[in-house]
Amino acid sequence: MTGLVRQDPLPAPQPRPAPLPRTELVTLLSSLAESYHAVHGHKLRIEYLSEEPQISVAADPVAVQRAFRNILDNAVKYTPPGGQLRLRSSVVSQHAFVVISDTGIGMTPRSSGGPSSTPTGSGGPVLGARAGPGARRDRELLEQNGAKISLLSEPGTGSRSRSCSRC
């Protein structure tokens, strides 16, 4: 037989990753704010505000909670007595935003891993990756769950962590 074309077998289909469970951010953040207030409320003013009654994202709730707990632990650790810790959540164009801000000591670009090339209008640099394994782990946990995270910090003013996930 002539004119036959040899074909390699088709590659085996790759298994699809399991879909992420739905995580209710308002419930998760409210619970975190309440527990941190119970422990640190004598030292700091801690508040949570959500612009929506429910915000659901596709994410592992344990991973998301672990990342937000580390951010909150750092905020508590570096915010002096009388300072403020604020959690906010909102939805804009099918994207869930969580902002955790504090009135702590802030970080210099050097102590935080250096500024990214994107300046902000608020005077401080946007920080690419904070120093320390906890912050890198938080970024990895959130990114594995489809979220993006950024950090703005200014020495003497405090820090603001912002994460964004698709609803």
PDB file of all heavy atoms in Angstrom, residues 98-125:
ATOM      1  N   VAL A  98     -11.790  42.746  48.308  1.00  0.00           N
ATOM      2  CA  VAL A  98     -11.611  42.758  49.757  1.00  0.00           C
ATOM      3  C   VAL A  98     -10.414  43.655  50.032  1.00  0.00           C
ATOM      4  O   VAL A  98      -9.341  43.464  49.462  1.00  0.00           O
ATOM      5  CB  VAL A  98     -11.353  41.339  50.324  1.00  0.00           C
ATOM      6  CG1 VAL A  98     -11.028  41.400  51.809  1.00  0.00           C
ATOM      7  CG2 VAL A  98     -12.556  40.439  50.066  1.00  0.00           C
ATOM      8  N   VAL A  99     -10.630  44.643  50.901  1.00  0.00           N
ATOM      9  CA  VAL A  99      -9.565  45.557  51.281  1.00  0.00           C
ATOM     10  C   VAL A  99      -9.390  45.451  52.794  1.00  0.00           C
ATOM     11  O   VAL A  99     -10.360  45.588  53.542  1.00  0.00           O
ATOM     12  CB  VAL A  99      -9.890  47.016  50.882  1.00  0.00           C
ATOM     13  CG1 VAL A  99      -8.781  47.958  51.346  1.00  0.00           C
ATOM     14  CG2 VAL A  99     -10.095  47.119  49.377  1.00  0.00           C
ATOM     15  N   ILE A 100      -8.163  45.186  53.203  1.00  0.00           N
ATOM     16  CA  ILE A 100      -7.827  45.146  54.626  1.00  0.00           C
ATOM     17  C   ILE A 100      -6.795  46.249  54.841  1.00  0.00           C
ATOM     18  O   ILE A 100      -5.719  46.215  54.245  1.00  0.00           O
ATOM     19  CB  ILE A 100      -7.258  43.778  55.044  1.00  0.00           C
ATOM     20  CG1 ILE A 100      -8.294  42.675  54.786  1.00  0.00           C
ATOM     21  CG2 ILE A 100      -6.839  43.804  56.517  1.00  0.00           C
ATOM     22  CD1 ILE A 100      -7.789  41.269  55.018  1.00  0.00           C
ATOM     23  N   SER A 101      -7.145  47.240  55.661  1.00  0.00           N
ATOM     24  CA  SER A 101      -6.238  48.358  55.889  1.00  0.00           C
ATOM     25  C   SER A 101      -5.994  48.537  57.382  1.00  0.00           C
ATOM     26  O   SER A 101      -6.814  48.154  58.210  1.00  0.00           O
ATOM     27  CB  SER A 101      -6.804  49.643  55.274  1.00  0.00           C
ATOM     28  OG  SER A 101      -8.060  49.945  55.829  1.00  0.00           O
ATOM     29  N   ASP A 102      -4.847  49.120  57.679  1.00  0.00           N
ATOM     30  CA  ASP A 102      -4.503  49.378  59.075  1.00  0.00           C
ATOM     31  C   ASP A 102      -3.804  50.717  59.191  1.00  0.00           C
ATOM     32  O   ASP A 102      -3.372  51.286  58.198  1.00  0.00           O
ATOM     33  CB  ASP A 102      -3.618  48.251  59.637  1.00  0.00           C
ATOM     34  CG  ASP A 102      -2.265  48.160  58.960  1.00  0.00           C
ATOM     35  OD1 ASP A 102      -1.468  49.110  59.086  1.00  0.00           O
ATOM     36  OD2 ASP A 102      -1.988  47.133  58.307  1.00  0.00           O
ATOM     37  N   THR A 103      -3.720  51.209  60.406  1.00  0.00           N
ATOM     38  CA  THR A 103      -3.006  52.455  60.694  1.00  0.00           C
ATOM     39  C   THR A 103      -1.704  52.129  61.418  1.00  0.00           C
ATOM     40  O   THR A 103      -1.289  52.838  62.326  1.00  0.00           O
ATOM     41  CB  THR A 103      -3.869  53.406  61.543  1.00  0.00           C
ATOM     42  OG1 THR A 103      -4.243  52.729  62.751  1.00  0.00           O
ATOM     43  CG2 THR A 103      -5.111  53.846  60.789  1.00  0.00           C
ATOM     44  N   GLY A 104      -1.060  51.071  60.972  1.00  0.00           N
ATOM     45  CA  GLY A 104       0.176  50.613  61.599  1.00  0.00           C
ATOM     46  C   GLY A 104       1.389  51.399  61.165  1.00  0.00           C
ATOM     47  O   GLY A 104       1.282  52.490  60.593  1.00  0.00           O
ATOM     48  N   ILE A 105       2.550  50.802  61.383  1.00  0.00           N
ATOM     49  CA  ILE A 105       3.811  51.487  61.118  1.00  0.00           C
ATOM     50  C   ILE A 105       4.161  51.514  59.638  1.00  0.00           C
ATOM     51  O   ILE A 105       5.032  52.260  59.220  1.00  0.00           O
ATOM     52  CB  ILE A 105       4.965  50.853  61.925  1.00  0.00           C
ATOM     53  CG1 ILE A 105       5.178  49.388  61.530  1.00  0.00           C
ATOM     54  CG2 ILE A 105       4.718  51.007  63.413  1.00  0.00           C
ATOM     55  CD1 ILE A 105       6.400  48.741  62.156  1.00  0.00           C
ATOM     56  N   GLY A 106       3.482  50.717  58.824  1.00  0.00           N
ATOM     57  CA  GLY A 106       3.774  50.677  57.395  1.00  0.00           C
ATOM     58  C   GLY A 106       5.101  50.001  57.116  1.00  0.00           C
ATOM     59  O   GLY A 106       5.796  49.548  58.032  1.00  0.00           O
ATOM     60  N   MET A 107       5.448  49.925  55.851  1.00  0.00           N
ATOM     61  CA  MET A 107       6.695  49.285  55.440  1.00  0.00           C
ATOM     62  C   MET A 107       7.390  50.153  54.408  1.00  0.00           C
ATOM     63  O   MET A 107       6.735  50.797  53.598  1.00  0.00           O
ATOM     64  CB  MET A 107       6.426  47.913  54.809  1.00  0.00           C
ATOM     65  CG  MET A 107       5.816  46.915  55.748  1.00  0.00           C
ATOM     66  SD  MET A 107       5.586  45.310  54.953  1.00  0.00           S
ATOM     67  CE  MET A 107       4.465  45.702  53.631  1.00  0.00           C
ATOM     68  N   THR A 108       8.694  50.123  54.437  1.00  0.00           N
ATOM     69  CA  THR A 108       9.461  50.784  53.391  1.00  0.00           C
ATOM     70  C   THR A 108       9.551  49.839  52.208  1.00  0.00           C
ATOM     71  O   THR A 108       9.403  48.626  52.368  1.00  0.00           O
ATOM     72  CB  THR A 108      10.887  51.115  53.876  1.00  0.00           C
ATOM     73  OG1 THR A 108      11.569  49.893  54.140  1.00  0.00           O
ATOM     74  CG2 THR A 108      10.862  51.997  55.111  1.00  0.00           C
ATOM     75  N   PRO A 109       9.806  50.348  50.997  1.00  0.00           N
ATOM     76  CA  PRO A 109       9.966  49.447  49.859  1.00  0.00           C
ATOM     77  C   PRO A 109      11.060  48.405  50.111  1.00  0.00           C
ATOM     78  O   PRO A 109      10.936  47.265  49.711  1.00  0.00           O
ATOM     79  CB  PRO A 109      10.330  50.375  48.709  1.00  0.00           C
ATOM     80  CG  PRO A 109       9.703  51.676  49.078  1.00  0.00           C
ATOM     81  CD  PRO A 109       9.823  51.749  50.589  1.00  0.00           C
ATOM     82  N   ARG A 110      12.107  48.778  50.804  1.00  0.00           N
ATOM     83  CA  ARG A 110      13.197  47.846  51.074  1.00  0.00           C
ATOM     84  C   ARG A 110      12.755  46.696  51.978  1.00  0.00           C
ATOM     85  O   ARG A 110      13.065  45.545  51.729  1.00  0.00           O
ATOM     86  CB  ARG A 110      14.355  48.597  51.707  1.00  0.00           C
ATOM     87  CG  ARG A 110      15.557  47.735  51.911  1.00  0.00           C
ATOM     88  CD  ARG A 110      16.698  48.551  52.437  1.00  0.00           C
ATOM     89  NE  ARG A 110      17.882  47.717  52.469  1.00  0.00           N
ATOM     90  CZ  ARG A 110      19.062  48.160  52.758  1.00  0.00           C
ATOM     91  NH1 ARG A 110      19.232  49.430  53.031  1.00  0.00           N
ATOM     92  NH2 ARG A 110      20.076  47.349  52.773  1.00  0.00           N
ATOM     93  N   SER A 111      11.995  47.005  53.031  1.00  0.00           N
ATOM     94  CA  SER A 111      11.566  45.959  53.956  1.00  0.00           C
ATOM     95  C   SER A 111      10.459  45.095  53.384  1.00  0.00           C
ATOM     96  O   SER A 111      10.180  44.030  53.884  1.00  0.00           O
ATOM     97  CB  SER A 111      11.097  46.564  55.279  1.00  0.00           C
ATOM     98  OG  SER A 111       9.875  47.256  55.110  1.00  0.00           O
ATOM     99  N   SER A 112       9.835  45.559  52.324  1.00  0.00           N
ATOM    100  CA  SER A 112       8.702  44.829  51.778  1.00  0.00           C
ATOM    101  C   SER A 112       9.019  44.044  50.524  1.00  0.00           C
ATOM    102  O   SER A 112       8.156  43.419  49.967  1.00  0.00           O
ATOM    103  CB  SER A 112       7.588  45.818  51.470  1.00  0.00           C
ATOM    104  OG  SER A 112       8.033  46.703  50.481  1.00  0.00           O
ATOM    105  N   GLY A 113      10.242  44.116  50.053  1.00  0.00           N
ATOM    106  CA  GLY A 113      10.574  43.390  48.845  1.00  0.00           C
ATOM    107  C   GLY A 113      10.685  44.285  47.643  1.00  0.00           C
ATOM    108  O   GLY A 113      10.945  43.826  46.554  1.00  0.00           O
ATOM    109  N   GLY A 114      10.457  45.580  47.817  1.00  0.00           N
ATOM    110  CA  GLY A 114      10.655  46.535  46.734  1.00  0.00           C
ATOM    111  C   GLY A 114       9.382  46.913  46.030  1.00  0.00           C
ATOM    112  O   GLY A 114       8.439  46.142  45.968  1.00  0.00           O
ATOM    113  N   PRO A 115       9.339  48.135  45.511  1.00  0.00           N
ATOM    114  CA  PRO A 115       8.131  48.581  44.816  1.00  0.00           C
ATOM    115  C   PRO A 115       8.051  47.992  43.418  1.00  0.00           C
ATOM    116  O   PRO A 115       9.055  47.670  42.814  1.00  0.00           O
ATOM    117  CB  PRO A 115       8.318  50.096  44.752  1.00  0.00           C
ATOM    118  CG  PRO A 115       9.801  50.283  44.761  1.00  0.00           C
ATOM    119  CD  PRO A 115      10.364  49.151  45.587  1.00  0.00           C
ATOM    120  N   SER A 116       6.845  47.884  42.950  1.00  0.00           N
ATOM    121  CA  SER A 116       6.672  47.485  41.554  1.00  0.00           C
ATOM    122  C   SER A 116       6.874  48.723  40.702  1.00  0.00           C
ATOM    123  O   SER A 116       7.111  49.811  41.201  1.00  0.00           O
ATOM    124  CB  SER A 116       5.270  46.912  41.347  1.00  0.00           C
ATOM    125  OG  SER A 116       4.320  47.953  41.352  1.00  0.00           O
ATOM    126  N   SER A 117       6.740  48.598  39.411  1.00  0.00           N
ATOM    127  CA  SER A 117       6.935  49.745  38.535  1.00  0.00           C
ATOM    128  C   SER A 117       5.676  50.588  38.430  1.00  0.00           C
ATOM    129  O   SER A 117       5.637  51.540  37.684  1.00  0.00           O
ATOM    130  CB  SER A 117       7.347  49.266  37.144  1.00  0.00           C
ATOM    131  OG  SER A 117       6.341  48.432  36.615  1.00  0.00           O
ATOM    132  N   THR A 118       4.631  50.230  39.153  1.00  0.00           N
ATOM    133  CA  THR A 118       3.379  50.959  39.071  1.00  0.00           C
ATOM    134  C   THR A 118       3.231  51.898  40.252  1.00  0.00           C
ATOM    135  O   THR A 118       2.940  51.470  41.349  1.00  0.00           O
ATOM    136  CB  THR A 118       2.182  49.975  39.067  1.00  0.00           C
ATOM    137  OG1 THR A 118       2.417  48.990  38.088  1.00  0.00           O
ATOM    138  CG2 THR A 118       0.889  50.693  38.800  1.00  0.00           C
ATOM    139  N   PRO A 119       3.437  53.203  40.054  1.00  0.00           N
ATOM    140  CA  PRO A 119       3.238  54.129  41.154  1.00  0.00           C
ATOM    141  C   PRO A 119       1.752  54.353  41.394  1.00  0.00           C
ATOM    142  O   PRO A 119       0.925  54.089  40.534  1.00  0.00           O
ATOM    143  CB  PRO A 119       3.917  55.412  40.670  1.00  0.00           C
ATOM    144  CG  PRO A 119       3.835  55.329  39.189  1.00  0.00           C
ATOM    145  CD  PRO A 119       3.870  53.854  38.839  1.00  0.00           C
ATOM    146  N   THR A 120       1.420  54.853  42.569  1.00  0.00           N
ATOM    147  CA  THR A 120       0.032  55.139  42.872  1.00  0.00           C
ATOM    148  C   THR A 120      -0.134  56.618  43.110  1.00  0.00           C
ATOM    149  O   THR A 120       0.817  57.331  43.346  1.00  0.00           O
ATOM    150  CB  THR A 120      -0.423  54.379  44.139  1.00  0.00           C
ATOM    151  OG1 THR A 120       0.304  54.929  45.247  1.00  0.00           O
ATOM    152  CG2 THR A 120      -0.180  52.903  44.038  1.00  0.00           C
ATOM    153  N   GLY A 121      -1.362  57.063  43.097  1.00  0.00           N
ATOM    154  CA  GLY A 121      -1.643  58.458  43.338  1.00  0.00           C
ATOM    155  C   GLY A 121      -1.654  58.822  44.802  1.00  0.00           C
ATOM    156  O   GLY A 121      -1.784  59.975  45.161  1.00  0.00           O
ATOM    157  N   SER A 122      -1.529  57.856  45.701  1.00  0.00           N
ATOM    158  CA  SER A 122      -1.635  58.160  47.116  1.00  0.00           C
ATOM    159  C   SER A 122      -0.283  58.351  47.783  1.00  0.00           C
ATOM    160  O   SER A 122      -0.199  58.400  48.997  1.00  0.00           O
ATOM    161  CB  SER A 122      -2.410  57.046  47.822  1.00  0.00           C
ATOM    162  OG  SER A 122      -1.729  55.832  47.673  1.00  0.00           O
ATOM    163  N   GLY A 123       0.775  58.438  47.016  1.00  0.00           N
ATOM    164  CA  GLY A 123       2.062  58.749  47.604  1.00  0.00           C
ATOM    165  C   GLY A 123       2.922  57.552  47.908  1.00  0.00           C
ATOM    166  O   GLY A 123       4.126  57.673  47.993  1.00  0.00           O
ATOM    167  N   GLY A 124       2.368  56.391  48.090  1.00  0.00           N
ATOM    168  CA  GLY A 124       3.161  55.221  48.437  1.00  0.00           C
ATOM    169  C   GLY A 124       3.273  54.276  47.269  1.00  0.00           C
ATOM    170  O   GLY A 124       2.473  54.311  46.344  1.00  0.00           O
ATOM    171  N   PRO A 125       4.276  53.433  47.270  1.00  0.00           N
ATOM    172  CA  PRO A 125       4.427  52.493  46.173  1.00  0.00           C
ATOM    173  C   PRO A 125       3.497  51.294  46.321  1.00  0.00           C
ATOM    174  O   PRO A 125       3.092  50.951  47.417  1.00  0.00           O
ATOM    175  CB  PRO A 125       5.883  52.036  46.310  1.00  0.00           C
ATOM    176  CG  PRO A 125       6.161  52.177  47.769  1.00  0.00           C
ATOM    177  CD  PRO A 125       5.354  53.357  48.245  1.00  0.00           C
TER     178      PRO A 125
END
